[in-house]
Each structure stands twice: as structure tokens, then as C-alpha cells.
Amino acid sequence: MTVQRIQIDDAPLNKFHLRITALTFGSNFCDGYALGIIGIALSLLGAQMHLSPVWQGLLGSSALIGLFFGSLLLGWLSDRIGRQKIYVTNFVIITIASVLQFFVNDPVTLFILRILIGLALGGDYAVGSTLLAEFAPKKYRGSLLSALNVLWTLGYTIATLVGYFLEKTGPDSWRLMLATGAIPAVIVLLLRIGTPESPRWLISMGREQEARQIVKKYIGPNIEIDDMIAESKQVTFGFKDLFTKQIRLRTIFGSLFYVCIVLPYFAIYTYLPTILKQLGYVENFLVDTLLNIFLLVGSIAGVWFTEKMTRRGFIIYSFAVLTITLFLVTVLPMSMLTFQFIAFAIFTFVMSAVSNLTLVYPAELFPTEVRSSGTGVVTAISRVGSAVGTFFLPLMSLTSSMIGMTLVLLLGTIISIAWAPETGRLTLNEASNPLHRKDSAFSEVASNILK
């Protein structure tokens, strides 16, 4: 009986694919938890340490600053030494730094620890989604990658609930809040030990036999990688190519669309209790909880949208809705709180749903040789935007900051209409090939803009 040979991009979904997805969830959950918990902790430690608005902004954006350096440097390093080593080491750093937050007595030490946590999380953004994309079959790649955002949202939501309950235990409860981040981190660390290296990366390094052994062991004995080997030999890219004519269009688009999503997302939801109070919600715990539910439901719905819609259509329509709804939240008076809440709920749902693409698009935009580097670069640039928004929001009036973020979303709409490529339902090599025929319209429009 002849065994049917199947290429890795067409492999059936198996337990290993689900396992690598679950392990990659860890960084997204921990990132969401880290962002959610700091907003509540700041309301306590701010008074205790007599923090100025500048220090509040720095501590609120500290993990995002670390994410910038981590995604940039560790993404580049991953393309040199492999995905697996960094995939495990990241969570050693997160676990230790999270525990040490319990013992801090000054904002400088806390700032450094938050930077370290962000550094490791940034590296995991670059490496985790890359490793998952390089193992996932094309049929399930979008769903598996977009599902990562569900766990980010779950982490953020759980952190909010934990923070609210721990807040009642006393003025030093912020220490326990921040230290609880070590619990999911150590679980992920232990489970990640033994994760195999990416076969695509091994092939790019000329280690084809090792790649075949991993594919046979984890994907299936009848799974072939000949097409992947042949495609990898056609064009070879290096880090500098991210900024040359062939790939720079994807680097620019990936960076800008990512910034336009995460800048308002992180700024608004880091300081959500404060924003709700300024908008006129006296009992903001209920409103905060409802919006967190919309965040969670939106992230789950986003998995379905990613699967059923084109990447290009999903991002364009989402940016348009976000621009309109955030503008309404900003301009509607307190006498129309019900309509304002409806607009805020729609904004929250769509923002959470489209954020799934921040974990799908980058992994599909770049060739294997620079996939981690490219993902790292666009993630790093996005974190500059999110850190800026998070830092300046406490220093500006609410109306000014909300109008500014509305303009950022409008820019995202324009960029997506002009530049967004379609990468769905292609093999990973086709999706990441800037010369692929389905990318020609995008390249032509973007090239004309850049001239």
C-alpha cells in the first residue's frame, strides 16, 4: 500500500500544532496581564511613592519600552542562532523579574524590572509567532495566529479582575499584584522545555536532515519538505534587505498599521478606569467590566473574521469603524452617556478583533531568513508608538488625547487602503514572497507613493 506524501504546508492539524499554539499563548497572556495589572497598581503605588505624572507615564509605558528593544534585538538574534533557544530563555527573565517586583521600594528599580519584562516579551513576540507560523499548515495558519490575541485579552481581563480584588487588601497590595505575573510565567517556562527548532529555519541554515527529522517526529512520517527546500534556494535575504527595495514596502506597511492599532489600544486600556471617570462614569467598575467582556468577545470573534474575511478587507473596514466610533466617544456629551457607551463598546469589540491581525500579518509578510527580524522590527516600531501614547496620555487633556488617537486611526485607514497586501490562504513562502503575483498591486501602489 502506497503512503500518500504530503507537503508540510498541506499537513493536517495535529496535537503538536495545538501544543505549540498553546505554548505561544504564554507570551500573549503574560503581556496582556502585565499591561492590565500596571494600570491598577499605579493607582496605589503612585500615591505611596509620590509619583509625578512623568513617572506615572514612564512606569505605565516601561514594559512597552522593553518590548521595543526585545523585539528588535532578540528577533534579529533568532534569525542567527535559532528560534528555540530564545523561545525558552525569555520566560526565565520574565519569571525572575516578576518576582523581584514584590520587593521594590523606588520607581527606578521598578522601571528597570518592567523594562526587563518587556524585553523578554518583545523577544517572544518576534520569535513565538514566527515559530508558530513556520510549523502551522496554511489552512489553519490565520486561525492559530489570530487566536493568540484571545489569550492576550484574557490576560488583560484577568489582571483587571485580580487587581480590583487585591486592591482591597491594603496599600501595599500593588506589590502582590505585580508579583502575580510570575505565576503564568513559570508555568509557560516549564512547559516550553523541549520545544523543537523550526524546520524552516534549519533549512535556511542548510541543515536539511535535522529539519526532516523534526518534521517526521512532530508533524508526521509522510510529510515532505521538498517544496520548502526548493523555494528556500530561490532567493536568500539578509537583515539589511528589510530596508531595500524588495522588502521595505512590507516593512513600512507592517510597522505603520501595527502602530496605528496599538497606540490607541495601549493608551486607552492602560488608563481605562481614569478615562471612564473623566468621561462621567461615576460607578466605573461595572462599565470597565462590561468593556473587558467586549474585549474578550471581540478577540474571539476576530479569529472567525480572520478566517472568513480577506486580510485586506478585515483591516480596512476595522480601521474605518474604529475611527468613527472613537470620534463619537470623544464628542458625545455627558447627557448622552448611553450612546457614548454603545460607541465605546463597538470600538472595544472591533479594536480587540482587528488586533488579531497584529499577530498574523507580520509573520506572513517576511521570508524565512528574516521572518523573526522583520517581525521584530515592526513590533519594535509599534511599541514606540504605544509607549508614546501611554506616556503622554496622563500629561494631556482627555479630549486632546482622544482626538489625537482618532487621527491615528484615520491614518491607519488611509495606509491600509493604499498599501495592505493580501496574504491569506497562501503557503507561507508565497505569502512572504514580495515578488508573488498577488502582491503586485500593493507593490505598484506603494512604489508610486515612495517615489
Side-chain angles (χ1 to χ4, degrees):
M1 181 177 178
T2 303
V3 178
Q4 184 181 8
R5 314 303 294 181
I6 302 173
Q7 293 299 320
I8 189 171
D9 276 307
D10 298 314
L13 194 68
N14 66 15
K15 291 181 179 179
F16 173 75
H17 292 125
L18 299 179
R19 178 192 166 201
I20 201 74
T21 303
L23 292 179
T24 306
F25 280 159
S27 63
N28 302 91
F29 180 92
C30 290
D31 184 27
Y33 193 94
L35 181 65
I37 206 70
I38 190 64
I40 300 173
L42 276 174
S43 64
L44 296 176
L45 70 90
Q48 194 173 106
M49 292 187 180
H50 307 291
L51 297 180
S52 66
V54 172
W55 264 116
Q56 289 189 43
L58 284 173
L59 289 174
S61 61
S62 53
L64 302 175
I65 296 170
L67 272 158
F68 167 79
F69 291 104
S71 55
L72 191 63
L73 298 176
L74 296 181
W76 171 82
L77 186 61
S78 169
D79 284 330
R80 298 297 176 274
I81 69 172
R83 323 297 194 208
Q84 190 270 346
K85 297 181 182 67
I86 296 174
Y87 193 65
V88 174
T89 305
N90 287 333
F91 273 83
V92 175
I93 298 172
I94 294 169
T95 301
I96 295 172
S98 295
V99 171
L100 291 177
Q101 290 179 110
F102 184 85
F103 303 99
V104 299
N105 292 303
D106 62 275
V108 175
T109 305
L110 181 57
F111 180 73
I112 293 171
L113 291 174
R114 301 287 299 176
I115 289 282
L116 287 174
I117 292 171
L119 186 80
L121 286 171
D124 219 73
Y125 265 93
V127 176
S129 59
T130 293
L131 190 63
L132 177 56
E134 291 178 345
F135 272 114
K138 67 179 180 181
K139 182 178 179 180
Y140 304 100
R141 188 177 66 239
S143 298
L144 294 178
L145 285 169
S146 65
L148 298 178
N149 188 53
V150 177
L151 267 289
W152 187 99
T153 309
L154 183 62
Y156 177 87
T157 303
I158 290 177
T160 303
L161 295 174
V162 168
Y164 274 121
F165 285 112
L166 288 180
E167 187 177 16
K168 302 173 184 177
T169 63
D172 277 339
S173 58
W174 62 267
R175 296 180 183 276
L176 188 57
M177 288 181 198
L178 297 178
T180 54
I183 298 173
V186 74
I187 294 172
V188 173
L189 171 61
L190 294 174
L191 292 176
R192 281 191 176 187
I193 296 173
T195 303
E197 184 55 83
S198 162
R200 291 181 188 272
W201 180 82
L202 290 170
I203 289 171
S204 72
M205 296 289 107
R207 296 158 60 179
E208 296 175 7
Q209 189 57 38
E210 292 178 61
R212 290 184 188 278
Q213 291 173 354
I214 288 174
V215 169
K216 182 178 180 180
K217 180 178 179 180
Y218 292 98
I219 309 300
N222 63 325
I223 304 300
E224 296 284 356
I225 58 173
D226 296 330
D227 287 356
M228 192 162 63
I229 293 172
E231 290 172 343
S232 71
K233 294 178 179 178
Q234 293 176 4
V235 184
T236 301
F237 297 96
F239 183 83
K240 67 179 185 302
D241 291 310
L242 293 173
F243 310 99
T244 57
K245 186 176 181 180
Q246 278 186 306
I247 307 181
R248 72 183 178 194
L249 302 177
R250 289 176 168 233
T251 305
I252 293 170
F253 167 74
S255 301
L256 292 180
F257 106 85
Y258 209 153
V259 166
C260 291
I261 289 177
V262 299
L263 190 155
Y265 194 143
F266 282 20
I268 290 173
Y269 296 103
T270 298
Y271 300 107
L272 184 57
T274 303
I275 290 173
L276 291 175
K277 189 177 295 183
Q278 292 185 37
L279 286 174
Y281 295 93
V282 179
E283 287 294 330
N284 60 31
F285 176 75
L286 176 60
V287 177
D288 195 341
T289 302
L290 289 173
L291 290 177
N292 278 313
I293 292 172
F294 276 100
L295 274 178
L296 187 57
V297 174
S299 66
I300 296 170
V303 177
W304 186 86
F305 288 132
T306 302
E307 181 66 25
K308 298 300 180 181
M309 297 180 69
T310 63
R311 305 282 192 265
R312 179 175 167 83
F314 187 15
I315 197 167
I316 291 173
Y317 291 128
S318 295
F319 267 126
V321 172
L322 290 171
T323 303
I324 295 168
T325 51
L326 187 59
F327 179 75
L328 291 175
V329 170
T330 305
V331 300
L332 287 175
M334 290 186 182
S335 59
M336 301 181 70
L337 279 182
T338 301
F339 293 102
Q340 185 187 70
F341 175 77
I342 292 172
F344 210 159
I346 295 172
F347 172 85
T348 300
F349 177 87
V350 176
M351 175 60 84
S352 185
V354 76
S355 292
N356 291 14
L357 287 185
T358 65
L359 297 164
V360 177
Y361 245 145
E364 295 179 339
L365 288 175
F366 303 103
T368 299
E369 297 90 341
V370 290
R371 183 165 292 118
S372 273
S373 296
T375 302
V377 167
V378 301
T379 302
I381 294 173
S382 77
R383 266 37 185 189
V384 172
S386 56
V388 167
T390 306
F391 174 75
F392 279 107
L393 191 141
L395 306 178
M396 300 171 62
S397 71
L398 181 63
T399 301
S400 298
S401 60
M402 297 287 268
I403 289 293
M405 288 185 284
T406 302
L407 293 175
V408 167
L409 292 169
L410 178 60
L411 177 63
T413 307
I414 296 169
I415 289 169
S416 298
I417 291 172
W419 290 20
E422 182 50 51
T423 57
R425 296 178 178 82
L426 301 176
T427 69
L428 195 58
N429 285 86
E430 289 173 339
S432 62
N433 183 357
L435 305 178
H436 191 268
R437 62 182 178 82
K438 290 190 178 183
D439 201 42
S440 58
F442 157 70
S443 299
E444 182 179 351
V445 172
S447 295
N448 291 335
I449 292 174
L450 291 176
K451 285 181 181 179

